[in-house]
Amino acid sequence: MNDVIVSVIEISKIRISNQKIIISVILIDLQKIPPSLATSLVHYATTNVTPQQDLYEVSRTLRVLEKKSSCNFLVFGLGFDSLLWASLNHRGRTVFLEDDKNWMKMVKKQMLSLEIYHVSYETDIKQADELLYKGKSEECKVVGDPKSSKFPLAIKNFPSIVYETEWDVIMVDAPVGSYNRGPGRMNTIYTVGLLAKNKEDGETDVFVHDIERKVEDTFSRAFLCDAYITEEIGRLKHFNIPSHRTIASSHTPFCS
């Protein structure tokens, strides 16, 4: 169409007897919708896969992104909602961290525009109680660069971009931590708390998904702090964490 951006403006789905879906798409020339948003529209219009988070959970994150976008958005985990997050943060930088290499390769083939980095975790979810107990020590409450932390929960092997970027919004939806298997999100939650509190200036909105599970609930309350909870919707808990660098007293408690 001669360099004109093509976007979907109307989609009708017709179910037929064998349960297949025929998708009729009406395309028009439209220059206002950016290519990244057009790609996202087409992707979700032509797939039968539903994102992990429901409408109410996604809507809460959307309201924050609307206020902060274009912003720096860090997402732990790749999922069926990854393209959605990148699109909602249009013109911002959305970075995804994923530990499953095979899943990473598959997603990259389908969503070429995403910025994805491979990471690894060394914990086991069976260590959760032990790590939570160690979290009561004073050394774990020192706010600073995670790479310099002496506490074993701090992750130090992430790509450098994680530590060098001032993140505005962070979504914790990985790694695997269900059915008593996988690395669990203990380290991730603690490290996210350090990243937010050690931020140069301003506040960081942190979302933790699967909050109905023990690890996500107890570790987020302990290390992202009850005082910073703003809302809980469905399986999503929202924290608004201020920079401890800009709080007047240098002796601000880890959870103030």
Side-chain angles (χ1 to χ4, degrees), residues 23-244:
I23 299 178
S24 175
V25 182
I26 299 176
L27 301 175
I28 66 165
D29 298 344
L30 188 63
Q31 295 179 331
K32 292 184 179 181
I33 297 181
S36 61
L37 296 184
T39 299
S40 183
L41 284 170
V42 171
H43 172 79
Y44 288 110
T46 57
T47 182
N48 293 329
V49 178
T50 304
Q52 287 92 327
Q53 297 188 28
D54 65 27
L55 173 63
Y56 301 102
E57 294 166 349
V58 171
S59 297
R60 178 56 191 165
T61 306
L62 171 60
R63 289 199 293 273
V64 172
L65 288 173
E66 284 177 332
K67 293 179 181 178
K68 292 196 167 185
S69 188
S70 304
C71 68
N72 292 321
F73 185 13
L74 178 63
V75 182
F76 286 83
L78 281 174
F80 300 119
D81 48 11
S82 296
L83 192 59
L84 174 67
W85 297 134
S87 299
L88 294 180
N89 188 33
H90 179 58
R91 291 197 178 91
R93 186 173 192 180
T94 305
V95 172
F96 298 89
L97 304 181
E98 175 59 47
D99 63 318
D100 187 328
K101 287 185 177 180
N102 292 328
W103 176 238
M104 235 178 102
K105 290 178 182 178
M106 188 165 68
V107 172
K108 276 187 172 181
K109 287 181 181 179
Q110 298 178 2
M111 307 176 190
L112 298 175
S113 62
L114 299 184
E115 184 176 356
I116 309 169
Y117 297 89
H118 179 257
V119 295
S120 58
Y121 301 97
E122 299 175 356
T123 52
D124 188 296
I125 195 169
K126 295 176 183 178
Q127 300 173 287
D129 290 339
E130 176 189 350
L131 290 170
L132 188 63
Y133 177 77
K134 289 182 178 179
K136 297 177 182 179
S137 67
E138 289 304 313
E139 67 177 6
C140 95
K141 299 177 183 178
V142 176
V143 174
D145 186 337
K147 292 184 296 181
S148 303
S149 175
K150 296 180 180 179
F151 188 56
L153 266 176
I155 300 176
K156 304 176 183 180
N157 64 347
F158 280 155
S160 57
I161 183 179
V162 175
Y163 308 105
E164 295 169 358
T165 305
E166 297 277 289
W167 300 105
D168 302 295
V169 183
I170 300 176
M171 174 69 69
V172 178
D173 207 0
V176 172
S178 58
Y179 306 110
N180 206 29
R181 65 179 177 83
R185 300 177 186 173
M186 302 84 69
N187 294 52
T188 299
I189 291 170
Y190 177 77
T191 304
V192 164
L194 287 186
L195 290 173
K197 292 168 186 173
N198 193 50
K199 188 175 178 180
E200 189 71 32
D201 189 18
E203 300 171 336
T204 306
D205 285 282
V206 177
F207 295 92
V208 180
H209 197 229
D210 301 314
I211 207 68
E212 79 284 1
R213 301 194 309 219
K214 180 181 177 181
V215 166
E216 281 76 2
D217 182 45
T218 56
F219 275 76
S220 64
R221 294 181 64 181
F223 300 118
L224 301 181
C225 309
D226 279 337
Y228 301 142
I229 296 174
T230 65
E231 192 173 9
E232 184 173 340
I233 298 178
R235 297 179 297 149
L236 188 73
K237 189 168 287 186
H238 177 203
F239 297 80
N240 183 259
I241 304 175
S243 166
H244 281 215

